[in-house]
Amino acid sequence: MNNFFSKLYEVLFRSGTFSDDLYQEGLYSQLGFIALFSAGLLAVFFYYILNRPSFSRWYHWLVIMGVCFVINYILGVIIPRSRFSSLNISYGSEYWVFALFNGIIACLFFTVVSFTIRWWSRNCKGTPIPN
Amino acid sequence: MSKLFIFGIGGTGSRVVKSLTFLLGAGVDIKATEIIPVIIDPDRANGDMNRTVDILKNYQRIRIRSHSARSGFFKAKITTLNELVDNNQREKLTSPDFRFELDGVQNERFMDFIDYNNLDKANKALAGLLFSEENLEADMEVGFKGNPNIGSVVLNQLKDSSVFRHFASNFEENDRIFIISSIFGGTGAAGFPLILKNIRNAPEDMPNFAFLRKAKVGAITILPYFGVTPDPNSKIDKATFISKTKAALNYYERNVSGNRSLNALYYIGDKDTKDYDNKEGAADQRNDAHFVEVAAALSIIDFMNLHDDMLENDASGMAKSPVYKEFGIKDAAPELSFATLGPLSKDRILKPLTQYKLMFMFMRDKLEECIDKYPWSNNGKVRIDKNFVTQPFYSDFLNAYNKAFSDWLIELGRNKVGFKPFRLDAGDKNVYYVLNEYEPVKSFNPLAKKNYELYIDQLNQAEKEIGDPPAEQKFMDMFYYATKNLVQKKFNV
């Protein structure tokens, strides 16, 4: 899976040794799974647990997507930095740029999962855009 | 199940039919395949009658477009006699809608109707014994003004009318007949025994005369339940209501109940009366709806629930064991609600009326802002969109019917005795405090959906279940399904 996720991430962002180190440490698959899992969890929460008429408009969906982005942005900084710190490797702005794309990829996952599972939701099946 | 022919006589007959229509619109069960109301009132412009006819027409328009096998609201089929007969006969029928048009009463005095001036001396003397000068001079344009002696002569034309023949030709063996009349006025008191006599003594040249003679006939006779303000210029005087009632009851004792002509006879009245403005008839006669009329409508539902065994006739067509019933309430209170009704009445109307009231509230308060926003409106191939609410089904028929439904509830509430089953101030913040004297089930879950959010949630669920029938069906079925669940959840009924 590391290969799969590295290709996905590196379509959007590749930064020399930083990307190589992410690959070597298997962080692409780790962060990819976290992004997929968190996006899925938030989509299930939005469509089936919250599932409220008063929170079913497109901008409510965007709020949840924003939460997904923020979680994955933060994890996109913390996880690589702590791993590389323990290996005495230091990078600067790469963490922040990579985290930005980690958040974007999580949002993509959230969109895909949303459009896959929304059909069976009682109150949000037309969110973010009506069928 | 069989057809039910209802003869609603006079203003009270019209108002009872109106109450019955609202009960049926809300989905109150009635054991009849088809209901055919015939309203008999010489006063063509009568406000009460015309209001009832408009409501019946809208009921039909709504039902035709929205009925399906799973319909809850408007499930009973209401038909005019005109719709029942085939095209060849239809041309000969003089009354095209729910009204029975009486001949010879428009712009005619009673003395002209009986051709008084051409009577010989002996017959003039006899007419003078039976009718006062005032009776003979009476203009019948606005009815019989509380004179049953005039009504009994004029309404006798019913048996020779095309309406009565078509009624007879469409009457089948197991069909039932119900007659609604008041006993303290003119038209009802005169018309009831006449119709009954014409049914029981149907001549042999009348189609299906044998079925008519042995028909299962029920009736409600409505005793005084309102008064009229004294007016020296009016022929109607409430002081005569009781004496007229006594006289009519005395007559019925010998000619209606006494001879077992009826299979079931219901009595109702109220001593706690309110005085209406004294209007002799025409468009001005638009009395407020009254609980007695709702109870009278319930008698029709009760009659249709009576088993055939209880309504058997002997070989001569007379009832073997007539049923006599009165209506009572659990608690006498100046204002009635569902809580003060007896268990059977409550059981029959609480749930359907509450469901319809909830639908009415949503349409009044919320529908416009919800259109195109939620799955019940914007999901599926068939949508309840902005176009739907501009179509006649919604914008004309349903809105007009709901306006009349709302007026009916307001009138019932302000009358004496008042019937206030619903709180009129229930709205956005307290939708389920809609029932007077009933608290909704409370939820202690802080995340539980409340008020209209719960309502929309149930509509969305309904949309999932119902799928994509034609839009009018989908609309009515969704609201029936959602309000049924809401009433169950919030009131445990």
Side-chain angles (χ1 to χ4, degrees), chain B residues 249-277:
Chain B
L249 283 172
N250 190 38
Y251 177 80
Y252 290 0
E253 192 183 1
R254 281 174 281 121
N255 299 292
V256 176
S257 50
N259 64 6
R260 293 182 287 116
S261 299
L262 276 172
N263 297 88
L265 180 58
Y266 296 79
Y267 293 99
I268 193 165
D270 189 13
K271 59 182 179 187
D272 200 11
T273 61
K274 176 180 174 178
D275 285 354
Y276 296 145
D277 290 341

Side-chain angles (χ1 to χ4, degrees), chain B residues 24 41 43 130 158 251 327 386 405 417 446 458 470 473 477:
Chain B
L24 298 178
D41 198 326
D43 181 3
L130 297 171
L158 179 73
Y251 177 80
F327 183 84
K386 282 184 180 137
F405 176 76
V417 55
Q458 290 301 319
Q473 268 181 37
D477 289 352

Side-chain angles (χ1 to χ4, degrees), chain B residues 292-398:
Chain B
V292 161
E293 293 147 14
V294 178
L298 282 171
S299 72
I300 302 171
I301 288 156
D302 187 79
F303 172 67
M304 293 311 285
N305 275 329
L306 294 177
H307 196 273
D308 279 348
D309 293 349
M310 296 176 75
L311 304 172
E312 279 186 348
N313 293 319
D314 60 22
S316 63
M318 295 304 166
K320 278 186 181 169
S321 49
V323 176
Y324 299 102
K325 289 194 174 190
E326 282 185 286
F327 183 84
I329 48 176
K330 197 175 86 183
D331 297 314
E335 270 184 8
L336 305 179
S337 67
F338 286 128
T340 50
L341 299 184
L344 188 61
S345 306
K346 192 169 76 178
D347 201 43
R348 281 182 178 151
I349 64 173
L350 188 151
K351 195 174 168 190
L353 278 181
T354 308
Q355 280 186 245
Y356 200 87
K357 170 72 180 172
L358 285 172
M359 176 168 103
F360 167 78
M361 283 168 62
F362 193 93
M363 285 174 62
R364 182 193 63 191
D365 302 339
K366 214 71 190 167
L367 192 116
E368 221 165 283
E369 71 179 75
C370 288
I371 288 285
D372 288 336
K373 278 191 185 167
Y374 300 107
W376 69 263
S377 163
N378 64 17
N379 192 55
K381 288 178 197 140
V382 177
R383 296 182 179 201
I384 310 302
D385 52 13
K386 282 184 180 137
N387 181 46
F388 175 84
V389 294
T390 61
Q391 298 298 309
F393 172 80
Y394 182 85
S395 67
D396 297 338
F397 311 145
L398 201 53

Side-chain angles (χ1 to χ4, degrees), chain B residues 427-439:
Chain B
D428 248 7
K429 304 272 181 240
N430 59 350
V431 180
Y432 306 110
Y433 283 84
V434 62
L435 281 175
N436 259 331
E437 298 186 41
Y438 281 85
E439 288 276 310

Side-chain angles (χ1 to χ4, degrees), chain A residues 33 46 81 108-109:
Chain A
F33 275 120
F46 178 73
R81 187 190 280 186
L108 284 176
F109 287 153

Side-chain angles (χ1 to χ4, degrees), chain A residues 5 9 27-37 102 105 109:
Chain A
F5 283 115
Y9 276 90
L27 287 174
Y28 280 128
S29 63
Q30 191 180 339
L31 287 166
F33 275 120
I34 289 171
L36 190 59
F37 184 73
N102 191 43
I105 282 173
F109 287 153

